[in-house]
Amino acid sequence: WEGPAGSRWLSRLAHGSHYFRLTKCDEGTQLEHGEYFGGPAFELAWPAMNQRLHDGYSAFNRALKERATSAADKHDASQVT
C-alpha cells in the first residue's frame, strides 16, 4: 500500500506490500502470505497493530486452508468411478 495516487508524502509516512508465495512441495502446494510494512507511521503504530494483524492473518489462513482442502476433496471425489 502506498496511499492514493499523487500523495508521495503519505507513502513516505506509511507503506506496505502484501504478498502471496506458492511453492510446490511433496504434500502439494504450500502457500505463504504476509505483508511488509515501512515508514515511521508504522513504527509508531506497530505495538498496537501487531497482535490484531497476526490474528487477522491467522483467521484468513485457516479459512483459506478449509476452503482449499474442501475444494480438493470435492475434486478427488468426482474422479472416483
Side-chain angles (χ1 to χ4, degrees):
W1 181 83
E2 293 185 3
S7 63
R8 293 185 130 191
W9 64 270
L10 184 57
S11 66
R12 291 182 192 153
L13 293 176
H15 54 274
S17 177
H18 197 137
Y19 65 88
F20 293 91
R21 188 173 299 130
L22 299 170
T23 307
K24 186 176 180 177
C25 61
D26 292 339
E27 297 82 25
T29 303
Q30 177 182 359
L31 168 68
E32 176 187 358
H33 99 277
E35 193 156 5
Y36 300 110
F37 296 103
F42 279 117
E43 290 177 25
L44 292 172
W46 188 251
M49 294 173 52
N50 186 24
Q51 189 61 50
R52 289 179 59 193
L53 287 170
H54 180 271
D55 293 347
Y57 281 130
S58 294
F60 175 89
N61 291 341
R62 285 190 303 274
L64 182 60
K65 181 178 182 179
E66 182 177 318
R67 188 167 181 178
T69 55
S70 174
D73 290 345
K74 288 177 186 175
H75 179 270
D76 290 345
S78 72
Q79 301 301 312
V80 175
T81 56

